[in-house]
Amino acid sequence: MRFVTFGGRGPAPDVVAGPAKRDTRTMYTVLVRRPDGRVGVVPPAAGAGAEAAVAPVARIPAGAPAEVPAEAVPAVVRAGEPTRWTWDDTNRWYPELLAAGTRVERCHDLRLSRVILRHSPLSAATALARAPRDAWDDLPAAPAPGPAADPATGDSSGTLFALAEAAPAAPQPALDPAAELSRQHDAVASATDPGRLRLLLAAESAGALAAAEMNHAGLPWRADVHDQILTAALGSRPPAGRRPDRLKELAAVVRTALDAPDLNPDSLPALLRALNYAGLAVRTTSKWELAEIDHPVVEPLLEYKSLARLLTANGWTWLDTWVHNGRFRTDYNVGGVVTGRWSTSGGGALQLPRALRRAVIADPGWTLVVADAAQLEPRVLAGLAGDDRMVAAARGGDIYQGMVDAGAVATRDQAKVGMLGAMYGGTTGVSAAVLPRLAVAFPTAIAYVERAARVGERGEVVATHLGRGSPPPGEAWRRTQGSAFDEDADAATEARARSQTRAWGRFTRNFVVQGTAAEWALCWLASIRRQLWELGEEGAPGAAPAPFSRRPHLAYFLHDEVIVHAPAALGDAVAQVLRDAAQEAGRLLFGAFPITFPVTVAIVECYSDAK
DNA sequence: TCCAGGGGCGCG
DNA sequence: AAAGCGCGCCCCTGGA
């Protein structure tokens, strides 16, 4: 396997140290669970390998024991800050600390870092990446506490019992975190571009802290408002297993319109048969195909589908399962997507329909500060490729309008659709038609994604700006490629191989952009959580759990968007933090390269009032 | 009765 | 209009 680099700019060295660099940057203190349940605290000199051996000795309390009872860990952490707490998996340690009201400033998540170092082309030649698979590669992500882990009560976040249930401190005798940290340090030090990986690992670990904190704090959610929305749309809540009134009515209308008295509209094959039998030449039952035909069944059927979706995805059952004590909690899965984006497990937290955002309402005396990064992906591409002309187009605040003003394309919509096609690999319609003009106007950026696509088509791997590697194509992919070169390969086989080739090219093309955008977002989050903490406390304790009861805190994250729940008096300060953090993230990734990252910020009581 | 897979649709 | 990328999760189906 070969890795192809495209150049780019180096990052600044540390993501969370802040403007005043501390001498603790390389200081790591390792926490390890002993078989007897006690916790070992391994100070830096012994635990962190050559790089940290020269750093100051850990400031854990003088005379601190090397082993403490598990209950003492919060006190040790409080007394030991600042250092980079190093552990096998953030969800195996941090929820417990948060439950005790203890925040951690910085950590090093060995599990997440291992995954990155295993797959990064920058570290491919290191001992860690070349070593045989071991227990660290197989360490499953620990689930966060919450409804998913403890559906019986849902309200599990504060109890040690539930924490033990949710994130069993399963003794991992085979795992030596201090030794793994040392291996990871060696891998970074001997990697192609240590600064990038160092930043990536710090950002990923900071993301793990932010994720645990958001799970701990939850998103303010008004069950009463949610219930009103459901009742207004569906009718009152029916007994379990029954359709709400509105769905019953619509189903009846659909059956009549199709002359199919026994039709279950939830059965796609039956629905398709009924549609065809009624003379409608649809191939699927998808809403965009239905929307194109003219027939009395279309309107009630589309409404049925939309309301059925609301009921099954975010109905009363969802509310019962995922919202407790005024908070929606999900399990953020940091690095859960190969590109480095997060996924979530529980409640479909990244797919909350817009119609439900009215239920996201700040606590009394508090406010929601909602921010999203405008046009993040094209801006990231400009930085990634180092395309000065695209940077110029971005300068006015609207990169697509800037492209029009630069004479690249005729309309803003062409610019937007064209860039989308460039980043996703669009091959049809307006997108493909406009691409050549974008390639003339912004040759550096377009060449960058085209090159990433070619690399993928060859079955090779690409990397994000900070070095996260794309997965190599699987064995089946290679088999199909090989079979297309057989003497007796038929046309269909060759066509299949070609289509698969292009599909992998679209994946790697998008990987570099989506993945680097995810890195920007990690840096943004890291900067936000540090700056929010520095804003300090305000007012009387609210309903937010310690350590955030009087502090602004992250409550939700959605790829390029955050919600901060804050005491009302701090709203403006938080808004400024969100803007400043975006610029800091840009500097961390792209140094002095002048691409900017504007964010739209709204200070609102209710999520749906943002933008 | 359980489970994998597909269609569909919500989000970025 | 959707397309082209990345997800999670619902329902139903069909095979074990």
Side-chain angles (χ1 to χ4, degrees):
Chain A
M1 182 115 358
R2 205 158 58 82
F3 168 63
V4 183
T5 44
F6 316 149
R9 282 148 224 278
D14 193 287
V15 64
V16 283
K21 294 277 188 260
R22 304 187 187 88
D23 62 359
T24 55
R25 269 183 41 211
T26 54
M27 204 168 81
Y28 294 74
T29 305
V30 180
L31 297 180
V32 53
R33 247 182 257 282
R34 306 297 187 201
D36 64 2
R38 290 169 65 82
V39 170
V41 183
V42 187
E51 187 185 7
V54 298
V57 171
R59 291 169 200 167
I60 56 178
E67 283 197 1
V68 300
E71 315 85 76
V73 172
V76 168
V77 167
R78 281 195 296 271
E81 293 265 35
T83 187
R84 195 178 286 279
W85 298 100
T86 301
W87 44 46
D88 49 6
D89 182 331
T90 300
N91 269 350
R92 287 188 161 84
W93 295 87
Y94 199 24
E96 219 169 317
L97 291 166
L98 287 166
T102 301
R103 175 187 181 266
V104 162
E105 184 181 335
R106 293 179 308 157
C107 82
H108 179 87
D109 187 303
L110 291 165
R111 181 183 67 84
L112 292 170
S113 300
R114 163 62 79 101
V115 173
I116 289 170
L117 293 171
R118 263 288 185 205
H119 298 109
S120 173
L122 301 182
S123 55
T126 66
L128 183 149
R130 298 165 73 93
R133 279 188 77 84
D134 64 25
W136 286 98
D137 296 303
D138 299 324
L139 187 63
D150 187 8
T153 67
D155 180 26
S156 62
S157 59
T159 70
L160 286 172
F161 170 76
L163 288 168
E165 293 285 301
Q172 304 277 352
L175 302 182
D176 179 346
E180 173 64 8
L181 177 63
S182 181
R183 279 191 294 272
Q184 295 189 2
H185 273 138
D186 291 345
V188 171
S190 57
T192 301
D193 195 336
R196 296 190 189 212
L197 282 177
R198 202 169 286 128
L199 174 57
L200 179 54
L201 300 190
E204 187 92 332
S205 296
L209 295 177
E213 288 166 5
M214 286 189 282
N215 172 265
H216 175 69
L219 178 65
W221 196 283
R222 285 273 297 275
D224 58 326
V225 175
H226 188 155
D227 177 69
Q228 284 167 19
I229 294 169
L230 293 177
T231 302
L234 295 161
S236 57
R237 180 175 190 170
R242 307 280 280 275
R243 282 195 178 101
D245 287 345
R246 183 65 189 144
L247 279 183
K248 278 195 224 160
E249 294 165 17
L250 287 165
V253 175
V254 166
R255 290 189 192 106
T256 305
L258 292 177
D259 194 19
D262 298 322
L263 173 66
N264 172 12
D266 294 329
S267 168
L268 301 182
L271 179 58
L272 185 58
R273 279 195 301 272
L275 288 164
N276 291 159
Y277 193 74
L280 302 174
V282 288
R283 282 179 40 257
T284 73
T285 63
S286 64
K287 66 175 186 182
W288 45 86
E289 191 166 356
L290 291 171
E292 283 173 1
I293 58 180
D294 180 26
H295 188 279
V297 79
V298 171
E299 191 188 327
L301 181 53
L302 289 180
E303 190 180 355
Y304 178 91
K305 285 162 82 80
S306 158
L307 291 179
R309 159 101 194 167
L310 175 65
L311 175 69
T312 58
N314 297 99
W316 290 280
T317 306
W318 183 93
L319 198 44
D320 290 345
T321 308
W322 299 110
V323 177
H324 299 280
N325 301 321
R327 294 291 190 271
F328 168 46
R329 290 195 168 79
T330 190
D331 186 357
Y332 290 96
N333 188 359
V334 175
V337 182
V338 286
T339 58
R341 271 191 175 183
W342 296 10
S343 59
T344 57
S345 159
L350 303 185
Q351 301 113 257
L352 296 177
R354 292 183 165 277
L356 247 48
R357 297 182 178 185
R358 279 199 292 136
V360 180
I361 297 175
D363 289 347
W366 287 55
T367 194
L368 300 177
V369 189
V370 182
D372 80 274
Q375 306 161 342
L376 178 59
E377 292 201 343
R379 288 169 187 276
V380 159
L381 175 56
L384 185 58
D387 189 321
D388 302 290
R389 294 162 73 178
M390 198 169 275
V391 168
R395 197 155 294 145
D398 180 348
I399 193 170
Y400 301 127
Q401 187 57 47
M403 290 175 170
V404 176
D405 297 343
V409 291
T411 68
R412 188 179 180 284
D413 197 54
Q414 283 180 4
K416 186 173 177 174
V417 172
M419 282 306 297
L420 219 61
M423 294 184 297
Y424 290 173
T427 55
T428 60
V430 176
S431 162
V434 173
L435 188 58
R437 306 190 49 186
L438 290 174
V440 169
F442 309 105
T444 313
I446 300 301
Y448 193 95
V449 286
E450 291 295 334
R451 201 150 51 229
R454 300 292 94 78
V455 171
E457 288 169 0
R458 292 199 298 270
E460 297 165 4
V461 303
V462 295
T464 60
H465 188 65
L466 295 185
R468 196 187 303 262
S470 68
E475 201 40 53
W477 191 92
R478 297 188 183 283
R479 263 202 310 278
T480 305
Q481 296 305 98
S483 66
F485 288 100
D486 285 352
E487 295 267 330
D488 53 352
D490 57 19
T493 303
E494 288 178 10
R496 208 164 33 245
R498 240 191 334 271
S499 148
Q500 179 193 268
T501 300
R502 283 192 298 259
W504 201 258
R506 288 194 299 273
F507 168 64
T508 52
R509 168 198 295 271
N510 184 250
F511 182 95
V512 296
V513 179
Q514 185 184 120
T516 304
E519 287 165 350
W520 181 92
L522 282 173
C523 292
W524 191 36
L525 276 179
S527 177
I528 289 169
R529 72 178 285 278
R530 174 177 54 78
Q531 293 190 57
L532 289 181
W533 191 256
E534 288 168 359
L535 287 181
E537 305 192 338
E538 175 71 33
F548 303 120
S549 53
R550 298 171 58 210
R551 290 175 176 273
H553 55 267
L554 285 159
Y556 187 60
F557 171 63
L558 183 54
H559 307 313
D560 60 358
E561 178 176 347
V562 297
I563 300 180
V564 173
H565 190 215
L570 291 178
D572 290 325
V574 169
Q576 193 55 44
V577 161
L578 298 178
R579 283 187 278 263
D580 292 346
Q583 301 323 307
E584 184 176 347
R587 283 195 303 277
L588 283 165
L589 254 72
F590 303 119
F593 190 68
I595 184 68
T596 55
F597 292 91
V599 289
T600 61
V601 185
I603 304 173
V604 292
E605 193 195 345
C606 177
Y607 188 15
S608 61
D609 293 335
K611 75 178 162 189

